[in-house]
Amino acid sequence: MFKKVLIVLCILVLLGAGSFTVVLYRMGINPALWFSMPSSSSFTQADNKNNITISLEEVMSGFSQVTDFSFFPGSDTQLLLLQKTGELFQLDLNRKEKYLIMKLDVLTDAEQGLLGVAIHPDYPKIPCIYLNFVVLKNNNDTSQVSEWCFSMEGEEQRWFQNKILLEVEQPFKNHNAGHLIFDKAGLLYIPWGDGGSREDPHGNAQNLQSYLGKILRINPEAYNNELAYSIPEDNPFVNIPDIPDEIYAYGLRNPWKLAFDPLGRLIAADVGQDKWEEITFIKAGGNHGWNDIEALHCMKPACSSKDTVMPFIEYGHDVGRSVTGGYVYLSSEIPELTNKYIYADFVSGQIWAAELPSDNLVIPINSSDQARSYTHVYQLGQWPVLISSFARDRSGKIYLADFARGTIYKISNPENNQ
């Protein structure tokens, strides 16, 4: 995802303004947006009922290839930020300062790199963070999830790697996923893609003996000496022969960001292949369809939604090419957004807000119209940014990262900036 877009942008610069405009149109991007950042989203009057006007307020810049960022629990100003090339920064938004905490030796080809960070929900009582990244191990590309904790030496924090929790060999250099998220019970969710290439050639997503194409769930606190973590007793495949106890859900292609809604439902944005992007409520033990199904559409000559968890949002590649999942907006600063799920497209710069459905209606195959009527989606504008990640602060406001410019923006009420 990242490498392809950066190569395209470099080629566009070399081709000149005319070709730049043509190719951007073919990518679903309004070329006018890339020459200046608009002050706020704008829409035609006839379309206003399906739109919410926002502004993107720059809060900090000077980064490179941001892959993830996360606020410390209970904070509106202190956060951690990752760069694809292995740097972990701590940010102070009040002072506009950044501090390099560590630099990891990671692989950075294609979609590899330092990809995900989660802070323990009981921080600072439990002073630990969790990172997801790709390294070279025994001559194999390997995704690792590790725990890092710190101790205080005077007024200085000393970070150290406590333990590697999980790792998996990656057969290809894409579809590493990489996000990490905790639930309220302190359980850690780990999404990994199907291993890469096209159409899941190794069949990993449907293979319940593989970690790839799955969401895993663990407790980072170890209760015995056999594992560096413990297995939640209610994981759906616990004690089932030949299925790893860590697996929580399967049938995913490249889940790029997870979030919990106010009802505790886990939401995954799963990047599609050639035609469709999707957002799904993750079901414990559920098969989410890939590589038989892409969003609401068959990938193979025959498929069925029976016993398959279907998405509640999909959009085609006429609109965008790579979905980036976000969070539910919990602030009252923009009342029209409160309790809506914010998400975006990495390539086109489109941002949306969705009213989350209260039930889990099963949408049949090829029922795009039914999906659109089931979930009301509002446009928040198309912006000249490559949105790689979102974060939410203590107050429920949502921020986004621009992978290309290395800038962090807050989604703001344009009336506050007048």
Side-chain angles (χ1 to χ4, degrees), residues 257-312:
K257 309 304 180 181
L258 306 179
F260 286 99
D261 75 357
L263 299 177
R265 296 177 295 182
L266 181 61
I267 303 169
D270 200 10
V271 178
Q273 184 166 278
D274 290 332
K275 295 182 178 180
W276 302 98
E277 306 297 307
E278 65 183 271
I279 297 175
T280 309
F281 287 123
I282 296 298
K283 179 181 178 181
N287 178 3
H288 293 76
W290 181 255
N291 64 347
D292 295 323
I293 299 171
E294 181 184 36
L296 295 170
H297 307 270
C298 288
M299 284 290 296
K300 297 180 178 178
C303 70
S304 171
S305 58
K306 186 177 185 298
D307 300 322
T308 302
V309 183
M310 303 299 285
F312 64 92

Side-chain angles (χ1 to χ4, degrees), residues 329-339 395-397 413 416:
Y329 187 88
L330 299 177
S331 172
S332 59
E333 180 181 312
I334 310 175
E336 299 91 338
L337 287 184
T338 304
N339 292 323
S395 302
K397 296 185 290 292
N413 189 332
N416 296 340

Side-chain angles (χ1 to χ4, degrees), residues 24 28 30-31 39 89 92 100 121 153 187 196 237 240 255 261 278 321 345 416:
L24 283 178
N30 179 357
S39 59
F89 291 97
D92 184 324
L100 180 63
E153 294 183 355
L187 302 180
F237 299 105
I240 297 179
D261 75 357
E278 65 183 271
R321 302 296 178 91
D345 189 86
N416 296 340

Side-chain angles (χ1 to χ4, degrees), residues 205-282:
Q206 292 295 319
N207 177 6
L208 281 172
Q209 295 181 349
S210 169
Y211 282 156
L212 296 172
K214 312 294 188 299
I215 294 176
L216 312 181
R217 183 173 75 158
I218 64 171
N219 184 341
E221 185 177 355
Y223 293 132
N224 57 54
N225 295 324
E226 296 179 7
L227 297 171
Y229 52 89
S230 54
I231 303 291
E233 294 181 356
D234 61 345
N235 270 12
F237 299 105
V238 166
N239 298 324
I240 297 179
D242 300 323
I243 301 178
D245 293 343
E246 296 89 347
I247 293 177
Y248 185 75
Y250 68 104
L252 296 135
R253 182 178 181 271
N254 189 30
W256 190 249
K257 309 304 180 181
L258 306 179
F260 286 99
D261 75 357
L263 299 177
R265 296 177 295 182
L266 181 61
I267 303 169
D270 200 10
V271 178
Q273 184 166 278
D274 290 332
K275 295 182 178 180
W276 302 98
E277 306 297 307
E278 65 183 271
I279 297 175
T280 309
F281 287 123
I282 296 298

Side-chain angles (χ1 to χ4, degrees), residues 92-129:
D92 184 324
L93 297 186
N94 276 343
R95 298 181 178 181
K96 306 296 183 184
E97 293 177 347
K98 63 180 180 181
Y99 314 92
L100 180 63
I101 292 176
M102 65 178 78
K103 171 73 167 73
L104 299 180
D105 184 15
V106 299
L107 298 176
T108 58
D109 289 344
E111 295 174 12
Q112 299 175 332
L114 179 55
L115 301 174
V117 59
I119 304 168
H120 198 286
D122 289 334
Y123 188 98
K125 181 180 178 181
I126 299 177
C128 298
I129 66 171

